Amino acid sequence: MNEFLKSTWSVIKQFSIVAFAPVILIAYFSSQQKEEDIEKNKSITYGIVTRSTPLVKKFSKRIYHYKFNVNGKTYSGSSSGWISDNINYGNYYPVEFSTKNPEHSRINFEIEYSYVVGTTESGKMDTIYIPKSEIKIKISEEDKERIEKLRLSVETKN
């Protein structure tokens, strides 16, 4: 019996590539079809990063999961990224998706966005996404004076 198991395992090892090749090919072509669908029917929205999981333990590559809305319906996706890219939960990024099948999507981690809720000229509420690097903080004159006093007190101590 032990000899039978050894010979069976030997056969499995020899033909494992043949067994897994169709799975790898199907995954590859499925991925290519998804990318083509996004390119042909592309639209852009913004998604929020909801969580991440390590790709491989002790490495800085992670899978980031995100959600986005299209026509009132929520979709989710995932994409890989590096920890050094400062991708955190709750951050917003542009998501490219297929208008024919919004489940085909990809997120772009290059520029982080923040959302601002405002009122349009017609009086309707609307959400606008602005790159975080372009957000300007308004500081009151009172706060400017307090900051200046703190700066002066730090300079005099040094």
Side-chain angles (χ1 to χ4, degrees):
M1 183 72 170
N2 197 13
E3 192 62 38
F4 174 74
L5 289 175
K6 285 181 183 179
S7 65
T8 304
W9 183 247
S10 175
V11 170
I12 290 171
K13 282 174 147 181
Q14 290 175 349
F15 293 103
S16 63
I17 290 188
V18 174
F20 288 112
V23 173
I24 293 169
L25 287 172
I26 289 170
Y28 174 77
F29 286 116
S30 174
S31 172
Q32 290 299 321
Q33 286 178 333
K34 173 184 160 185
E35 291 298 318
E36 279 182 31
D37 184 28
I38 293 171
E39 287 304 317
K40 287 180 183 175
N41 307 298
K42 185 180 353 183
S43 189
I44 297 176
T45 188
Y46 296 89
I48 185 170
V49 175
T50 57
R51 63 186 174 94
S52 70
T53 53
L55 190 60
V56 179
K57 287 187 177 183
K58 297 185 180 180
F59 286 96
S60 61
K61 189 93 170 175
R62 300 184 68 79
I63 298 293
Y64 292 93
H65 303 273
Y66 58 92
K67 290 184 179 182
F68 62 99
N69 293 311
V70 175
N71 297 328
K73 194 171 179 188
T74 301
Y75 295 90
S76 61
S78 61
S79 186
S80 62
W82 297 97
I83 289 177
S84 61
D85 291 336
N86 295 323
I87 303 165
N88 295 309
Y89 311 137
N91 289 358
Y92 287 89
Y93 298 93
V95 174
E96 296 176 343
F97 67 96
S98 166
T99 54
K100 288 189 175 183
N101 184 0
E103 290 181 6
H104 293 171
S105 67
R106 61 181 173 229
I107 193 164
N108 180 347
F109 294 122
E110 288 182 24
I111 300 174
E112 183 181 346
Y113 285 76
S114 289
Y115 71 93
V116 177
V117 178
T119 307
T120 63
E121 291 177 8
S122 62
K124 293 183 179 181
M125 296 291 281
D126 194 13
T127 304
I128 300 169
Y129 291 88
I130 302 170
K132 275 198 172 178
S133 61
E134 294 179 14
I135 295 177
K136 296 180 178 145
I137 300 172
K138 293 182 181 179
I139 300 176
S140 69
E141 287 302 316
E142 182 181 310
D143 288 337
K144 285 180 185 177
E145 289 174 13
R146 289 173 41 206
I147 290 170
E148 183 63 22
K149 285 179 185 177
L150 284 171
R151 187 183 65 76
L152 290 173
S153 69
V154 168
E155 286 179 358
T156 56
K157 288 181 182 177
N158 292 333

Short mmCIF file of all heavy atoms in Angstrom, two decimals, residues 105-141:
data_model
loop_
_atom_site.label_atom_id
_atom_site.label_comp_id
_atom_site.label_asym_id
_atom_site.label_seq_id
_atom_site.Cartn_x
_atom_site.Cartn_y
_atom_site.Cartn_z
N SER A 105 -13.91 46.76 -12.35
CA SER A 105 -13.38 48.05 -11.91
C SER A 105 -11.93 47.92 -11.51
O SER A 105 -11.42 46.82 -11.28
CB SER A 105 -14.20 48.58 -10.73
OG SER A 105 -14.00 47.75 -9.59
N ARG A 106 -11.28 49.08 -11.44
CA ARG A 106 -9.92 49.16 -10.91
C ARG A 106 -9.76 50.52 -10.25
O ARG A 106 -10.32 51.52 -10.70
CB ARG A 106 -8.88 48.93 -12.01
CG ARG A 106 -8.93 49.94 -13.12
CD ARG A 106 -7.90 49.66 -14.19
NE ARG A 106 -8.09 50.57 -15.30
CZ ARG A 106 -8.15 50.20 -16.56
NH1 ARG A 106 -8.03 48.93 -16.89
NH2 ARG A 106 -8.33 51.09 -17.51
N ILE A 107 -9.00 50.55 -9.18
CA ILE A 107 -8.80 51.79 -8.42
C ILE A 107 -7.39 52.31 -8.70
O ILE A 107 -6.47 51.54 -8.95
CB ILE A 107 -9.05 51.55 -6.91
CG1 ILE A 107 -9.16 52.86 -6.13
CG2 ILE A 107 -8.00 50.63 -6.33
CD1 ILE A 107 -9.76 52.70 -4.75
N ASN A 108 -7.26 53.62 -8.70
CA ASN A 108 -5.98 54.27 -8.96
C ASN A 108 -5.52 54.96 -7.67
O ASN A 108 -6.13 55.93 -7.22
CB ASN A 108 -6.15 55.29 -10.09
CG ASN A 108 -4.88 55.99 -10.43
OD1 ASN A 108 -3.89 55.93 -9.71
ND2 ASN A 108 -4.88 56.68 -11.55
N PHE A 109 -4.42 54.46 -7.09
CA PHE A 109 -3.95 54.98 -5.80
C PHE A 109 -3.01 56.17 -5.91
O PHE A 109 -2.45 56.60 -4.92
CB PHE A 109 -3.24 53.87 -5.02
CG PHE A 109 -4.13 52.74 -4.60
CD1 PHE A 109 -3.88 51.45 -5.00
CD2 PHE A 109 -5.23 52.98 -3.80
CE1 PHE A 109 -4.69 50.40 -4.60
CE2 PHE A 109 -6.06 51.94 -3.40
CZ PHE A 109 -5.79 50.65 -3.80
N GLU A 110 -2.85 56.76 -7.09
CA GLU A 110 -1.87 57.83 -7.27
C GLU A 110 -2.25 59.12 -6.54
O GLU A 110 -1.40 59.78 -5.96
CB GLU A 110 -1.65 58.11 -8.75
CG GLU A 110 -0.89 57.01 -9.44
CD GLU A 110 -0.62 57.31 -10.89
OE1 GLU A 110 -0.62 58.50 -11.28
OE2 GLU A 110 -0.44 56.34 -11.64
N ILE A 111 -3.53 59.52 -6.60
CA ILE A 111 -3.95 60.78 -5.98
C ILE A 111 -5.10 60.50 -5.02
O ILE A 111 -6.11 59.93 -5.41
CB ILE A 111 -4.39 61.82 -7.04
CG1 ILE A 111 -3.24 62.11 -7.99
CG2 ILE A 111 -4.86 63.10 -6.36
CD1 ILE A 111 -3.63 63.01 -9.15
N GLU A 112 -4.94 60.94 -3.78
CA GLU A 112 -6.00 60.78 -2.78
C GLU A 112 -6.94 61.99 -2.85
O GLU A 112 -6.49 63.12 -3.05
CB GLU A 112 -5.38 60.69 -1.39
CG GLU A 112 -6.38 60.46 -0.30
CD GLU A 112 -5.73 60.40 1.07
OE1 GLU A 112 -4.50 60.28 1.16
OE2 GLU A 112 -6.49 60.50 2.05
N TYR A 113 -8.22 61.72 -2.71
CA TYR A 113 -9.24 62.77 -2.80
C TYR A 113 -9.99 62.91 -1.47
O TYR A 113 -10.05 61.97 -0.68
CB TYR A 113 -10.25 62.45 -3.90
CG TYR A 113 -9.71 62.68 -5.29
CD1 TYR A 113 -8.83 61.78 -5.86
CD2 TYR A 113 -10.08 63.80 -6.01
CE1 TYR A 113 -8.32 61.99 -7.14
CE2 TYR A 113 -9.58 64.02 -7.28
CZ TYR A 113 -8.70 63.11 -7.84
OH TYR A 113 -8.21 63.33 -9.10
N SER A 114 -10.57 64.08 -1.27
CA SER A 114 -11.50 64.33 -0.18
C SER A 114 -12.80 64.78 -0.80
O SER A 114 -12.81 65.36 -1.89
CB SER A 114 -11.00 65.43 0.75
OG SER A 114 -9.91 64.97 1.51
N TYR A 115 -13.89 64.53 -0.11
CA TYR A 115 -15.16 64.98 -0.67
C TYR A 115 -15.68 66.18 0.10
O TYR A 115 -15.42 66.36 1.27
CB TYR A 115 -16.20 63.85 -0.68
CG TYR A 115 -16.72 63.45 0.67
CD1 TYR A 115 -17.87 64.03 1.19
CD2 TYR A 115 -16.07 62.48 1.43
CE1 TYR A 115 -18.37 63.66 2.42
CE2 TYR A 115 -16.55 62.11 2.66
CZ TYR A 115 -17.69 62.70 3.16
OH TYR A 115 -18.17 62.34 4.38
N VAL A 116 -16.38 67.03 -0.65
CA VAL A 116 -17.00 68.23 -0.10
C VAL A 116 -18.46 68.20 -0.54
O VAL A 116 -18.75 68.02 -1.72
CB VAL A 116 -16.31 69.51 -0.62
CG1 VAL A 116 -17.01 70.74 -0.09
CG2 VAL A 116 -14.84 69.51 -0.28
N VAL A 117 -19.36 68.35 0.41
CA VAL A 117 -20.79 68.39 0.08
C VAL A 117 -21.19 69.85 0.01
O VAL A 117 -20.93 70.64 0.92
CB VAL A 117 -21.63 67.65 1.15
CG1 VAL A 117 -23.10 67.75 0.82
CG2 VAL A 117 -21.20 66.20 1.24
N GLY A 118 -21.79 70.21 -1.11
CA GLY A 118 -22.20 71.60 -1.31
C GLY A 118 -23.54 71.67 -2.02
O GLY A 118 -24.17 70.65 -2.32
N THR A 119 -23.96 72.88 -2.28
CA THR A 119 -25.22 73.12 -2.97
C THR A 119 -24.93 73.66 -4.35
O THR A 119 -24.12 74.57 -4.52
CB THR A 119 -26.08 74.14 -2.18
OG1 THR A 119 -26.19 73.69 -0.83
CG2 THR A 119 -27.45 74.27 -2.78
N THR A 120 -25.57 73.08 -5.36
CA THR A 120 -25.39 73.55 -6.73
C THR A 120 -26.17 74.85 -6.94
O THR A 120 -26.94 75.27 -6.07
CB THR A 120 -25.88 72.49 -7.74
OG1 THR A 120 -27.28 72.30 -7.56
CG2 THR A 120 -25.14 71.18 -7.57
N GLU A 121 -26.01 75.46 -8.11
CA GLU A 121 -26.73 76.70 -8.43
C GLU A 121 -28.24 76.49 -8.42
O GLU A 121 -28.99 77.41 -8.12
CB GLU A 121 -26.28 77.22 -9.79
CG GLU A 121 -24.85 77.72 -9.79
CD GLU A 121 -24.41 78.17 -11.17
OE1 GLU A 121 -25.24 78.24 -12.10
OE2 GLU A 121 -23.21 78.48 -11.31
N SER A 122 -28.67 75.27 -8.74
CA SER A 122 -30.11 74.98 -8.75
C SER A 122 -30.64 74.66 -7.35
O SER A 122 -31.83 74.41 -7.19
CB SER A 122 -30.41 73.83 -9.70
OG SER A 122 -29.76 72.65 -9.26
N GLY A 123 -29.76 74.65 -6.34
CA GLY A 123 -30.20 74.42 -4.97
C GLY A 123 -30.15 72.97 -4.53
O GLY A 123 -30.55 72.64 -3.42
N LYS A 124 -29.64 72.07 -5.37
CA LYS A 124 -29.55 70.65 -5.00
C LYS A 124 -28.22 70.37 -4.31
O LYS A 124 -27.20 70.98 -4.62
CB LYS A 124 -29.67 69.76 -6.24
CG LYS A 124 -31.02 69.80 -6.89
CD LYS A 124 -31.07 68.83 -8.05
CE LYS A 124 -32.45 68.85 -8.70
NZ LYS A 124 -32.53 67.91 -9.82
N MET A 125 -28.25 69.42 -3.36
CA MET A 125 -27.03 69.00 -2.69
C MET A 125 -26.21 68.14 -3.65
O MET A 125 -26.76 67.33 -4.38
CB MET A 125 -27.36 68.19 -1.43
CG MET A 125 -28.09 68.98 -0.37
SD MET A 125 -27.06 70.24 0.38
CE MET A 125 -26.12 69.25 1.50
N ASP A 126 -24.90 68.32 -3.63
CA ASP A 126 -24.03 67.55 -4.51
C ASP A 126 -22.70 67.30 -3.81
O ASP A 126 -22.29 68.07 -2.94
CB ASP A 126 -23.80 68.31 -5.82
CG ASP A 126 -23.19 67.44 -6.90
OD1 ASP A 126 -23.17 66.20 -6.74
OD2 ASP A 126 -22.75 68.00 -7.92
N THR A 127 -22.04 66.22 -4.18
CA THR A 127 -20.74 65.88 -3.63
C THR A 127 -19.68 66.14 -4.68
O THR A 127 -19.81 65.69 -5.82
CB THR A 127 -20.70 64.41 -3.19
OG1 THR A 127 -21.74 64.16 -2.27
CG2 THR A 127 -19.37 64.07 -2.55
N ILE A 128 -18.63 66.84 -4.29
CA ILE A 128 -17.52 67.13 -5.18
C ILE A 128 -16.28 66.51 -4.57
O ILE A 128 -16.05 66.61 -3.36
CB ILE A 128 -17.32 68.65 -5.33
CG1 ILE A 128 -18.58 69.30 -5.90
CG2 ILE A 128 -16.11 68.97 -6.20
CD1 ILE A 128 -18.57 70.80 -5.84
N TYR A 129 -15.47 65.87 -5.40
CA TYR A 129 -14.21 65.27 -4.93
C TYR A 129 -13.06 66.15 -5.38
O TYR A 129 -12.95 66.52 -6.54
CB TYR A 129 -14.07 63.86 -5.48
CG TYR A 129 -15.08 62.92 -4.86
CD1 TYR A 129 -16.34 62.76 -5.41
CD2 TYR A 129 -14.76 62.22 -3.71
CE1 TYR A 129 -17.26 61.92 -4.83
CE2 TYR A 129 -15.69 61.37 -3.12
CZ TYR A 129 -16.94 61.23 -3.69
OH TYR A 129 -17.86 60.40 -3.10
N ILE A 130 -12.19 66.51 -4.41
CA ILE A 130 -11.08 67.41 -4.66
C ILE A 130 -9.80 66.71 -4.21
O ILE A 130 -9.77 66.11 -3.13
CB ILE A 130 -11.25 68.72 -3.86
CG1 ILE A 130 -12.56 69.40 -4.23
CG2 ILE A 130 -10.08 69.65 -4.06
CD1 ILE A 130 -12.94 70.54 -3.33
N PRO A 131 -8.73 66.77 -5.01
CA PRO A 131 -7.46 66.18 -4.54
C PRO A 131 -7.05 66.80 -3.21
O PRO A 131 -7.15 68.02 -3.02
CB PRO A 131 -6.46 66.56 -5.64
CG PRO A 131 -7.30 66.77 -6.85
CD PRO A 131 -8.61 67.33 -6.35
N LYS A 132 -6.64 65.97 -2.27
CA LYS A 132 -6.28 66.47 -0.93
C LYS A 132 -5.19 67.54 -1.01
O LYS A 132 -5.17 68.45 -0.19
CB LYS A 132 -5.84 65.33 -0.03
CG LYS A 132 -6.98 64.65 0.65
CD LYS A 132 -6.51 63.84 1.84
CE LYS A 132 -7.71 63.35 2.60
NZ LYS A 132 -7.33 62.52 3.73
N SER A 133 -4.31 67.43 -1.97
CA SER A 133 -3.22 68.40 -2.09
C SER A 133 -3.73 69.79 -2.47
O SER A 133 -3.03 70.77 -2.28
CB SER A 133 -2.21 67.93 -3.13
OG SER A 133 -2.84 67.81 -4.40
N GLU A 134 -4.95 69.90 -2.98
CA GLU A 134 -5.49 71.19 -3.40
C GLU A 134 -6.43 71.82 -2.37
O GLU A 134 -6.94 72.91 -2.60
CB GLU A 134 -6.24 71.04 -4.73
CG GLU A 134 -5.34 70.67 -5.88
CD GLU A 134 -6.09 70.50 -7.18
OE1 GLU A 134 -7.26 70.92 -7.27
OE2 GLU A 134 -5.50 69.95 -8.12
N ILE A 135 -6.65 71.14 -1.27
CA ILE A 135 -7.56 71.67 -0.25
C ILE A 135 -6.84 72.75 0.55
O ILE A 135 -5.74 72.53 1.05
CB ILE A 135 -8.08 70.56 0.68
CG1 ILE A 135 -8.95 69.60 -0.13
CG2 ILE A 135 -8.86 71.15 1.85
CD1 ILE A 135 -9.46 68.42 0.65
N LYS A 136 -7.46 73.89 0.63
CA LYS A 136 -6.89 75.00 1.38
C LYS A 136 -7.72 75.18 2.65
O LYS A 136 -8.95 75.22 2.60
CB LYS A 136 -6.89 76.27 0.55
CG LYS A 136 -6.01 76.15 -0.65
CD LYS A 136 -6.00 77.39 -1.47
CE LYS A 136 -5.05 77.16 -2.62
NZ LYS A 136 -5.44 77.77 -3.82
N ILE A 137 -7.03 75.31 3.73
CA ILE A 137 -7.71 75.48 5.01
C ILE A 137 -7.84 76.98 5.30
O ILE A 137 -6.86 77.73 5.22
CB ILE A 137 -6.91 74.79 6.15
CG1 ILE A 137 -6.79 73.31 5.85
CG2 ILE A 137 -7.57 75.04 7.49
CD1 ILE A 137 -5.88 72.57 6.80
N LYS A 138 -9.05 77.38 5.62
CA LYS A 138 -9.28 78.78 5.97
C LYS A 138 -9.01 78.95 7.46
O LYS A 138 -9.57 78.24 8.28
CB LYS A 138 -10.70 79.19 5.64
CG LYS A 138 -11.00 79.20 4.16
CD LYS A 138 -12.41 79.66 3.89
CE LYS A 138 -12.68 79.64 2.40
NZ LYS A 138 -14.05 80.06 2.08
N ILE A 139 -8.15 79.91 7.78
CA ILE A 139 -7.81 80.17 9.17
C ILE A 139 -8.28 81.58 9.52
O ILE A 139 -8.00 82.54 8.80
CB ILE A 139 -6.28 80.06 9.39
CG1 ILE A 139 -5.82 78.66 9.02
CG2 ILE A 139 -5.92 80.40 10.82
CD1 ILE A 139 -4.33 78.46 9.09
N SER A 140 -8.99 81.67 10.62
CA SER A 140 -9.49 82.98 11.05
C SER A 140 -8.33 83.86 11.51
O SER A 140 -7.24 83.37 11.83
CB SER A 140 -10.50 82.81 12.20
OG SER A 140 -9.82 82.37 13.36
N GLU A 141 -8.58 85.16 11.54
CA GLU A 141 -7.54 86.11 11.98
C GLU A 141 -7.13 85.82 13.42
O GLU A 141 -5.96 85.91 13.77
CB GLU A 141 -8.05 87.55 11.84
CG GLU A 141 -8.13 88.05 10.41
CD GLU A 141 -6.80 87.97 9.69
OE1 GLU A 141 -5.76 88.34 10.27
OE2 GLU A 141 -6.80 87.52 8.53
#
